[in-house]
Amino acid sequence: MTLRRTSRRLADGREIIYFDDAPDAPPRTAVDSRPLGERIPAGHIRRDVLTGEWVAIAGHRQTRTFMPPKDECPLCPTGRGSVPSEIPDRDYDVVVFENRFPSFAPVAQEGAGTAYGLFEHAPALGRCEVVCFTSDHDASFASLPPHRVRTVVDAWADRTAELGAMDSVQQVFCFENRGPEIGVTLHHPHGQIYAYPFVPARSSALLGRARAHHERTGRLLGADVLAAELEAGERVVVDGEHWTAYVPYAARWPVEVHLAPRRDVPDLVALDDAERDDLARVYLDVLGRLDRYYVDEDGEPRTLPYIAAWHQAPAKVGRDVSRLHLQVFSILRSPTKLKYLAGSESGAGAWVNDVLPERIAARLREVGA
Amino acid sequence: MTLRRTSRRLADGREIIYFDDAPDAPPRTAVDSRPLGERIPAGHIRRDVLTGEWVAIAGHRQTRTFMPPKDECPLCPTGRGSVPSEIPDRDYDVVVFENRFPSFAPVAQEGAGTAYGLFEHAPALGRCEVVCFTSDHDASFASLPPHRVRTVVDAWADRTAELGAMDSVQQVFCFENRGPEIGVTLHHPHGQIYAYPFVPARSSALLGRARAHHERTGRLLGADVLAAELEAGERVVVDGEHWTAYVPYAARWPVEVHLAPRRDVPDLVALDDAERDDLARVYLDVLGRLDRYYVDEDGEPRTLPYIAAWHQAPAKVGRDVSRLHLQVFSILRSPTKLKYLAGSESGAGAWVNDVLPERIAARLREVGA
């Protein structure tokens, strides 16, 4: 399969990149004719002095697009709706562009209130990108054909390599928020990429543990965890040629599944062709199971809201001990009830899971295609 | 003011403690006549090997009480509703009892699936308590008179001392979840206390930073932060005699305010009489402001859902460098919109706040009584 990559600029200077896998795709030359004016800069970051974590302060995002009517969808190709969209061309396979309301961007504000001794701040440099998985407004990631998922994987890898090489970027995070229950403001199937100017808290925790394990054993923690899950067996959901999907031993969400490659790789960039193709197969298999996980009162499958989070090695540090994995999880704890992150989780940082991980795995095996 | 403390047992052996401040309160001698059977044990904890954090696995909690009709409220005194409640007596001022569906308890399960080398588990020992702030079902914490808040503070301090002394307990966490938007399942005004058998993630982060700061400067981080906020001034909301309320420099929630005492104290137990009385005043002042923070379309105040989280020194470690503070925050980012914890927050652990902390503080000052 050949992939054609076309980089263009939107009216306010933001980059848009078309990833076309169809051999007959026309050249992507359409011009963005909207009167957008200057691009909107990102805000700044402040360090939470009590925890050491950086927080992005992005006041301008309060006005971002919220559930527009379908014929004004900014992620459909231009021409389908009543107004020009973020994608000037009349069609696309997969497209990535810089978010118009970014938390992190190449242009960011300096200001941060009065900073006294203890208080650290910096411009929110980095980049926030939107990844449109398909031009079909009513599709979902789970409904994509495998070759299109492969194109998405290639797009993620492309962005990880390019964003990770930027001086300001410490971590490239590819993710998908799916479903109104977790606050998704656009229905069109899409994911996002955040290129952070710091190593975020979870990445930092993963790195700390991976480094300690490597120092103690000389081995990769991620590899040892996969081996242990395969040996235990009871939480394995799909065991593909190059990828394994399993419910982690200490799952913290009511539905949670991890996908890990057989081979030690730090990030999506390092995956070879066979691994990328197998990822498409295993991931689609898992997403199909997730949409059959719950059934409503009438016995109909309940489309699952989820967050899919790619944990890659940080861009500049710890690359020798980090190991790629995907974490997919849902806040739905029954067909109708949400798990809320209340006092214990949001206040103390201690998760309570009302569902036994082995039960999650058994259900995911039960709803195989 | 004298406080009378009466410890009793519920039908299944759980402890209930009445804290009465009314001089004419009758003796609390009522017997729990419900046929409850054996007490429900807690589950177990598993260590998330990738992050090092402990996760509580509590399968039995899926069946817990969910928004009962008012006349079956388990937190009203027995006699007010149609069924006997969790509180056998016919009235109370403040009452604390062990949660019937506990995440942590003195009795807990051993089981944890097959544990291979990497996987660590332990019984979920500890204690989960419910704190009823008033016998008035339709009241709220913000509507309590100051002397009753003082009784709640005394109850928190009592529980912190007693629970912290238990061998299994590493951290005592007093908190209130308020509002259906964050998943509160009982309307009656109440908070909770979790006594964890581990130091939770946020406590651990706070301790790590406090210890590093102390080693570097010989001073308490919490004291230096308070001094810096007082010097900056622009985020201070209420400056009382013994307590200061301020919006933290790197606020991560759309509404967030911290309360810190003037004096260096590790926990609620160490507060003297004057500090406890002033806390009642300052906290009520802040809660009143929070309920006036947003107004709806008709200009009516919008009752604010919030989480109030007491960050105390861990029970057994780091007590010399930790400093008490209260963190109150809301997920409401406008009168009608919630902040969702999606990919960046729940996946990567990186918070994005759409509201400038100085703007939060300005609004909180504006809505003073």
Side-chain angles (χ1 to χ4, degrees):
Chain A
M1 194 178 77
T2 46
L3 192 68
R4 195 187 63 202
R5 181 188 192 281
T6 312
S7 168
R8 307 270 305 168
R9 292 280 161 182
L10 296 173
D12 57 4
R14 288 175 293 136
E15 187 177 13
I16 181 168
I17 308 168
Y18 295 89
F19 294 90
D20 287 301
D21 56 49
D24 58 345
R28 303 304 182 188
T29 54
V31 172
D32 182 9
S33 60
R34 297 170 297 168
L36 290 186
E38 293 280 296
R39 69 183 290 162
I40 299 167
H44 63 278
I45 57 174
R46 300 183 181 193
R47 194 195 286 272
D48 176 353
V49 63
L50 294 176
T51 63
E53 298 167 13
W54 288 97
V55 176
I57 309 289
H60 59 290
R61 289 180 79 247
Q62 280 274 42
T63 56
R64 67 188 184 273
T65 315
F66 185 75
M67 288 291 181
K70 182 176 170 180
D71 81 332
E72 294 176 18
C73 175
L75 308 187
C76 279
T78 288
R80 294 222 184 136
S82 60
V83 294
S85 76
E86 287 279 69
I87 296 102
D89 235 282
R90 300 188 75 80
D91 198 10
Y92 61 83
D93 291 340
V94 170
V95 73
V96 175
F97 63 89
E98 290 183 77
N99 197 318
R100 191 168 171 203
F101 303 97
S103 300
F104 306 96
V107 184
Q109 292 165 348
E110 282 289 337
T114 317
Y116 289 81
L118 275 179
F119 301 140
E120 289 175 75
H121 64 87
L125 293 174
R127 216 151 122 150
C128 286
E129 300 185 341
V130 177
V131 183
C132 298
F133 300 137
T134 167
S135 63
D136 179 359
H137 185 86
D138 297 313
S140 68
F141 198 110
S143 73
L144 299 178
H147 79 274
R148 186 56 44 81
V149 175
R150 169 64 202 263
T151 302
V152 173
V153 173
D154 287 346
W156 284 332
D158 177 283
R159 306 316 304 139
T160 299
E162 193 166 284
L163 297 172
M166 292 180 174
D167 284 345
S168 61
V169 172
Q170 294 296 328
Q171 180 76 48
V172 180
F173 178 56
C174 305
F175 64 102
E176 180 189 1
N177 297 331
R178 194 264 196 117
E181 295 88 346
I182 49 160
V184 174
T185 52
L186 297 172
H187 181 79
H188 194 111
H190 73 287
Q192 297 182 69
I193 301 173
Y194 274 24
Y196 298 102
F198 51 83
V199 179
R202 187 177 168 92
S203 311
S204 183
L206 296 176
L207 175 55
R209 292 280 291 184
R211 193 169 265 154
H213 186 82
H214 190 259
E215 277 167 14
R216 198 167 60 243
T217 66
R219 295 193 307 272
L220 295 189
L221 178 59
D224 281 359
V225 168
L226 175 60
E229 289 291 2
L230 284 167
E231 189 185 351
E234 60 193 330
R235 285 174 301 277
V236 173
V237 177
V238 181
D239 195 19
E241 193 181 343
H242 297 287
W243 287 81
T244 303
Y246 61 90
V247 177
Y249 174 72
R252 64 181 62 201
W253 303 93
V255 184
E256 180 172 0
V257 58
H258 290 192
L259 271 70
R262 285 297 170 96
R263 191 165 63 90
D264 296 336
V265 295
D267 56 23
L268 289 156
V269 184
L271 295 174
D272 65 25
D273 271 325
E275 288 164 335
R276 294 181 189 202
D277 285 337
D278 193 53
L279 168 58
R281 280 189 297 269
V282 172
Y283 191 28
L284 284 175
D285 184 349
V286 168
L287 290 178
R289 289 167 196 259
L290 292 177
D291 275 343
R292 292 187 293 271
Y293 192 91
Y294 291 119
V295 291
D296 66 18
E297 289 171 345
D298 304 321
E300 290 299 310
R302 177 14 172 144
T303 300
L304 193 75
Y306 64 77
I307 294 170
W310 278 104
H311 298 293
Q312 309 196 81
K316 312 290 199 289
V317 297
R319 299 188 57 82
D320 53 325
V321 298
S322 299
R323 197 174 190 280
L324 176 68
H325 71 280
L326 172 67
Q327 178 194 21
V328 188
F329 57 97
S330 180
I331 53 166
L332 215 61
R333 66 182 179 89
S334 85
T336 54
K337 285 183 194 163
L338 297 176
K339 172 180 180 59
Y340 291 91
L341 301 182
S344 190
E345 289 86 1
S346 288
W351 258 248
V352 177
N353 193 351
D354 291 346
V355 190
L356 202 64
E358 290 72 28
R359 238 183 83 195
I360 304 173
R363 177 64 183 158
L364 284 170
R365 284 196 296 263
E366 188 177 278
V367 293
Chain B
M1 194 178 76
T2 46
L3 192 68
R4 193 187 64 203
R5 182 188 191 281
T6 312
S7 168
R8 308 268 306 165
R9 293 279 161 184
L10 296 173
D12 57 4
R14 288 175 293 136
E15 187 177 13
I16 181 168
I17 308 168
Y18 296 88
F19 294 90
D20 288 300
D21 56 49
D24 58 345
R28 303 304 181 189
T29 54
V31 172
D32 182 10
S33 60
R34 298 169 298 169
L36 291 185
E38 292 280 296
R39 67 184 289 162
I40 300 167
H44 63 277
I45 58 174
R46 300 186 181 191
R47 195 196 285 273
D48 175 352
V49 63
L50 294 177
T51 63
E53 297 167 14
W54 288 97
V55 176
I57 309 288
H60 58 288
R61 291 181 77 247
Q62 280 274 39
T63 56
R64 67 187 184 272
T65 314
F66 184 75
M67 287 292 180
K70 181 175 170 179
D71 81 331
E72 293 176 19
C73 174
L75 309 187
C76 279
T78 287
R80 295 223 184 136
S82 60
V83 294
S85 76
E86 287 281 67
I87 296 100
D89 236 282
R90 301 187 74 81
D91 198 10
Y92 61 83
D93 291 340
V94 170
V95 73
V96 175
F97 62 89
E98 290 184 79
N99 197 318
R100 189 165 173 206
F101 304 97
S103 299
F104 307 95
V107 185
Q109 292 166 349
E110 282 290 338
T114 316
Y116 288 81
L118 276 179
F119 301 140
E120 289 176 75
H121 63 87
L125 293 174
R127 216 152 121 150
C128 287
E129 300 185 340
V130 177
V131 183
C132 298
F133 300 137
T134 166
S135 63
D136 179 359
H137 185 86
D138 296 313
S140 68
F141 198 111
S143 72
L144 299 179
H147 80 273
R148 185 57 42 81
V149 175
R150 168 64 202 263
T151 302
V152 173
V153 173
D154 288 345
W156 283 333
D158 177 283
R159 306 316 305 140
T160 298
E162 193 166 284
L163 297 171
M166 292 181 173
D167 284 345
S168 61
V169 171
Q170 294 296 326
Q171 179 76 50
V172 180
F173 178 56
C174 306
F175 63 102
E176 180 189 1
N177 297 331
R178 194 265 196 117
E181 295 89 345
I182 49 161
V184 174
T185 52
L186 296 172
H187 181 79
H188 194 112
H190 72 287
Q192 296 182 69
I193 301 172
Y194 274 24
Y196 298 102
F198 51 82
V199 179
R202 187 177 168 92
S203 311
S204 183
L206 295 176
L207 176 55
R209 292 280 291 184
R211 193 170 266 154
H213 185 84
H214 190 259
E215 277 167 14
R216 200 167 59 243
T217 66
R219 295 192 307 270
L220 295 190
L221 178 60
D224 282 358
V225 168
L226 175 60
E229 289 291 2
L230 284 168
E231 188 186 350
E234 60 192 329
R235 286 174 301 277
V236 174
V237 177
V238 181
D239 195 20
E241 192 182 344
H242 298 285
W243 287 81
T244 303
Y246 62 90
V247 176
Y249 174 71
R252 63 179 63 200
W253 303 92
V255 184
E256 179 171 0
V257 57
H258 289 193
L259 270 69
R262 285 295 170 97
R263 192 165 62 89
D264 296 337
V265 294
D267 56 23
L268 289 156
V269 184
L271 295 174
D272 64 26
D273 270 325
E275 288 164 335
R276 294 181 189 202
D277 285 337
D278 192 53
L279 168 58
R281 279 189 296 269
V282 173
Y283 191 29
L284 283 175
D285 185 349
V286 167
L287 290 178
R289 289 167 196 260
L290 291 177
D291 275 344
R292 292 186 294 271
Y293 192 91
Y294 291 120
V295 291
D296 66 17
E297 290 170 344
D298 305 320
E300 289 299 310
R302 166 46 162 122
T303 300
L304 194 77
Y306 65 76
I307 294 170
W310 278 104
H311 298 293
Q312 310 195 80
K316 310 291 198 287
V317 297
R319 299 188 56 82
D320 52 325
V321 299
S322 299
R323 197 175 190 279
L324 176 68
H325 71 279
L326 172 67
Q327 178 194 22
V328 188
F329 56 98
S330 179
I331 54 166
L332 215 61
R333 66 181 178 90
S334 85
T336 54
K337 286 184 194 162
L338 296 178
K339 171 178 182 60
Y340 291 92
L341 300 182
S344 189
E345 288 86 1
S346 288
W351 259 248
V352 177
N353 192 353
D354 292 346
V355 190
L356 201 64
E358 290 73 27
R359 237 184 82 195
I360 304 173
R363 177 65 183 157
L364 285 170
R365 284 196 296 263
E366 189 177 280
V367 294

PDB file of all heavy atoms in Angstrom, chain B residues 306-321:
ATOM      1  N   TYR B 306     -19.454  20.356  44.122  1.00  0.00           N
ATOM      2  CA  TYR B 306     -18.026  20.501  44.434  1.00  0.00           C
ATOM      3  C   TYR B 306     -17.491  19.254  45.110  1.00  0.00           C
ATOM      4  O   TYR B 306     -18.258  18.394  45.590  1.00  0.00           O
ATOM      5  CB  TYR B 306     -17.769  21.740  45.305  1.00  0.00           C
ATOM      6  CG  TYR B 306     -18.386  21.709  46.700  1.00  0.00           C
ATOM      7  CD1 TYR B 306     -17.832  20.944  47.736  1.00  0.00           C
ATOM      8  CD2 TYR B 306     -19.528  22.465  46.986  1.00  0.00           C
ATOM      9  CE1 TYR B 306     -18.400  20.933  48.999  1.00  0.00           C
ATOM     10  CE2 TYR B 306     -20.104  22.458  48.249  1.00  0.00           C
ATOM     11  CZ  TYR B 306     -19.533  21.692  49.258  1.00  0.00           C
ATOM     12  OH  TYR B 306     -20.098  21.669  50.506  1.00  0.00           O
ATOM     13  N   ILE B 307     -16.184  19.155  45.143  1.00  0.00           N
ATOM     14  CA  ILE B 307     -15.477  18.174  45.964  1.00  0.00           C
ATOM     15  C   ILE B 307     -14.620  18.967  46.938  1.00  0.00           C
ATOM     16  O   ILE B 307     -13.899  19.876  46.531  1.00  0.00           O
ATOM     17  CB  ILE B 307     -14.590  17.251  45.093  1.00  0.00           C
ATOM     18  CG1 ILE B 307     -15.471  16.390  44.174  1.00  0.00           C
ATOM     19  CG2 ILE B 307     -13.698  16.368  45.965  1.00  0.00           C
ATOM     20  CD1 ILE B 307     -14.692  15.621  43.116  1.00  0.00           C
ATOM     21  N   ALA B 308     -14.743  18.657  48.224  1.00  0.00           N
ATOM     22  CA  ALA B 308     -13.899  19.290  49.243  1.00  0.00           C
ATOM     23  C   ALA B 308     -12.980  18.210  49.801  1.00  0.00           C
ATOM     24  O   ALA B 308     -13.457  17.191  50.296  1.00  0.00           O
ATOM     25  CB  ALA B 308     -14.754  19.892  50.350  1.00  0.00           C
ATOM     26  N   ALA B 309     -11.689  18.416  49.690  1.00  0.00           N
ATOM     27  CA  ALA B 309     -10.703  17.367  50.005  1.00  0.00           C
ATOM     28  C   ALA B 309      -9.692  17.881  51.020  1.00  0.00           C
ATOM     29  O   ALA B 309      -8.947  18.829  50.743  1.00  0.00           O
ATOM     30  CB  ALA B 309      -9.986  16.933  48.720  1.00  0.00           C
ATOM     31  N   TRP B 310      -9.659  17.248  52.193  1.00  0.00           N
ATOM     32  CA  TRP B 310      -8.690  17.618  53.224  1.00  0.00           C
ATOM     33  C   TRP B 310      -7.376  16.884  53.005  1.00  0.00           C
ATOM     34  O   TRP B 310      -7.327  15.658  53.101  1.00  0.00           O
ATOM     35  CB  TRP B 310      -9.237  17.278  54.612  1.00  0.00           C
ATOM     36  CG  TRP B 310     -10.162  18.319  55.150  1.00  0.00           C
ATOM     37  CD1 TRP B 310     -11.521  18.246  55.224  1.00  0.00           C
ATOM     38  CD2 TRP B 310      -9.795  19.604  55.681  1.00  0.00           C
ATOM     39  NE1 TRP B 310     -12.022  19.407  55.768  1.00  0.00           N
ATOM     40  CE2 TRP B 310     -10.992  20.254  56.059  1.00  0.00           C
ATOM     41  CE3 TRP B 310      -8.573  20.272  55.869  1.00  0.00           C
ATOM     42  CZ2 TRP B 310     -10.998  21.544  56.623  1.00  0.00           C
ATOM     43  CZ3 TRP B 310      -8.584  21.545  56.422  1.00  0.00           C
ATOM     44  CH2 TRP B 310      -9.781  22.164  56.799  1.00  0.00           C
ATOM     45  N   HIS B 311      -6.330  17.641  52.722  1.00  0.00           N
ATOM     46  CA  HIS B 311      -5.012  17.041  52.557  1.00  0.00           C
ATOM     47  C   HIS B 311      -4.252  17.159  53.870  1.00  0.00           C
ATOM     48  O   HIS B 311      -3.836  18.248  54.264  1.00  0.00           O
ATOM     49  CB  HIS B 311      -4.269  17.709  51.403  1.00  0.00           C
ATOM     50  CG  HIS B 311      -4.973  17.528  50.088  1.00  0.00           C
ATOM     51  ND1 HIS B 311      -5.093  16.285  49.489  1.00  0.00           N
ATOM     52  CD2 HIS B 311      -5.638  18.385  49.288  1.00  0.00           C
ATOM     53  CE1 HIS B 311      -5.796  16.422  48.368  1.00  0.00           C
ATOM     54  NE2 HIS B 311      -6.136  17.673  48.224  1.00  0.00           N
ATOM     55  N   GLN B 312      -4.130  16.025  54.557  1.00  0.00           N
ATOM     56  CA  GLN B 312      -3.453  15.972  55.842  1.00  0.00           C
ATOM     57  C   GLN B 312      -2.133  15.213  55.691  1.00  0.00           C
ATOM     58  O   GLN B 312      -1.912  14.518  54.700  1.00  0.00           O
ATOM     59  CB  GLN B 312      -4.320  15.234  56.867  1.00  0.00           C
ATOM     60  CG  GLN B 312      -5.759  15.731  56.948  1.00  0.00           C
ATOM     61  CD  GLN B 312      -6.466  15.245  58.212  1.00  0.00           C
ATOM     62  OE1 GLN B 312      -6.272  15.806  59.287  1.00  0.00           O
ATOM     63  NE2 GLN B 312      -7.295  14.232  58.081  1.00  0.00           N
ATOM     64  N   ALA B 313      -1.270  15.343  56.673  1.00  0.00           N
ATOM     65  CA  ALA B 313      -0.044  14.553  56.673  1.00  0.00           C
ATOM     66  C   ALA B 313      -0.411  13.073  56.676  1.00  0.00           C
ATOM     67  O   ALA B 313      -1.396  12.679  57.305  1.00  0.00           O
ATOM     68  CB  ALA B 313       0.799  14.877  57.903  1.00  0.00           C
ATOM     69  N   PRO B 314       0.354  12.230  55.968  1.00  0.00           N
ATOM     70  CA  PRO B 314       0.124  10.793  56.086  1.00  0.00           C
ATOM     71  C   PRO B 314       0.205  10.375  57.558  1.00  0.00           C
ATOM     72  O   PRO B 314       0.808  11.070  58.378  1.00  0.00           O
ATOM     73  CB  PRO B 314       1.268  10.189  55.266  1.00  0.00           C
ATOM     74  CG  PRO B 314       1.647  11.268  54.287  1.00  0.00           C
ATOM     75  CD  PRO B 314       1.441  12.560  55.032  1.00  0.00           C
ATOM     76  N   ALA B 315      -0.413   9.238  57.875  1.00  0.00           N
ATOM     77  CA  ALA B 315      -0.525   8.837  59.283  1.00  0.00           C
ATOM     78  C   ALA B 315       0.806   8.429  59.896  1.00  0.00           C
ATOM     79  O   ALA B 315       1.032   8.633  61.091  1.00  0.00           O
ATOM     80  CB  ALA B 315      -1.540   7.694  59.413  1.00  0.00           C
ATOM     81  N   LYS B 316       1.697   7.849  59.075  1.00  0.00           N
ATOM     82  CA  LYS B 316       2.896   7.255  59.662  1.00  0.00           C
ATOM     83  C   LYS B 316       4.213   7.833  59.133  1.00  0.00           C
ATOM     84  O   LYS B 316       5.254   7.565  59.713  1.00  0.00           O
ATOM     85  CB  LYS B 316       2.899   5.730  59.394  1.00  0.00           C
ATOM     86  CG  LYS B 316       1.596   4.992  59.743  1.00  0.00           C
ATOM     87  CD  LYS B 316       1.334   4.919  61.224  1.00  0.00           C
ATOM     88  CE  LYS B 316       0.327   3.852  61.624  1.00  0.00           C
ATOM     89  NZ  LYS B 316      -1.075   4.152  61.294  1.00  0.00           N
ATOM     90  N   VAL B 317       4.178   8.553  58.018  1.00  0.00           N
ATOM     91  CA  VAL B 317       5.430   9.080  57.439  1.00  0.00           C
ATOM     92  C   VAL B 317       5.283  10.555  57.087  1.00  0.00           C
ATOM     93  O   VAL B 317       4.170  11.050  56.899  1.00  0.00           O
ATOM     94  CB  VAL B 317       5.840   8.312  56.150  1.00  0.00           C
ATOM     95  CG1 VAL B 317       6.123   6.845  56.459  1.00  0.00           C
ATOM     96  CG2 VAL B 317       4.750   8.422  55.074  1.00  0.00           C
ATOM     97  N   GLY B 318       6.399  11.244  57.000  1.00  0.00           N
ATOM     98  CA  GLY B 318       6.435  12.604  56.464  1.00  0.00           C
ATOM     99  C   GLY B 318       5.676  13.632  57.273  1.00  0.00           C
ATOM    100  O   GLY B 318       5.349  14.715  56.768  1.00  0.00           O
ATOM    101  N   ARG B 319       5.453  13.340  58.547  1.00  0.00           N
ATOM    102  CA  ARG B 319       4.629  14.259  59.335  1.00  0.00           C
ATOM    103  C   ARG B 319       5.372  15.556  59.648  1.00  0.00           C
ATOM    104  O   ARG B 319       4.749  16.588  59.897  1.00  0.00           O
ATOM    105  CB  ARG B 319       4.147  13.570  60.612  1.00  0.00           C
ATOM    106  CG  ARG B 319       3.280  12.327  60.291  1.00  0.00           C
ATOM    107  CD  ARG B 319       2.639  11.730  61.525  1.00  0.00           C
ATOM    108  NE  ARG B 319       1.841  12.687  62.239  1.00  0.00           N
ATOM    109  CZ  ARG B 319       0.593  13.016  61.921  1.00  0.00           C
ATOM    110  NH1 ARG B 319       0.010  12.446  60.890  1.00  0.00           N
ATOM    111  NH2 ARG B 319      -0.067  13.918  62.634  1.00  0.00           N
ATOM    112  N   ASP B 320       6.707  15.510  59.592  1.00  0.00           N
ATOM    113  CA  ASP B 320       7.495  16.700  59.912  1.00  0.00           C
ATOM    114  C   ASP B 320       7.535  17.713  58.762  1.00  0.00           C
ATOM    115  O   ASP B 320       7.845  18.875  58.973  1.00  0.00           O
ATOM    116  CB  ASP B 320       8.926  16.286  60.273  1.00  0.00           C
ATOM    117  CG  ASP B 320       9.536  15.393  59.197  1.00  0.00           C
ATOM    118  OD1 ASP B 320       8.789  14.581  58.587  1.00  0.00           O
ATOM    119  OD2 ASP B 320      10.743  15.505  58.944  1.00  0.00           O
ATOM    120  N   VAL B 321       7.195  17.281  57.534  1.00  0.00           N
ATOM    121  CA  VAL B 321       7.280  18.209  56.398  1.00  0.00           C
ATOM    122  C   VAL B 321       5.911  18.526  55.790  1.00  0.00           C
ATOM    123  O   VAL B 321       5.799  19.405  54.935  1.00  0.00           O
ATOM    124  CB  VAL B 321       8.209  17.660  55.282  1.00  0.00           C
ATOM    125  CG1 VAL B 321       9.631  17.480  55.816  1.00  0.00           C
ATOM    126  CG2 VAL B 321       7.672  16.352  54.712  1.00  0.00           C
TER     127      VAL B 321
END
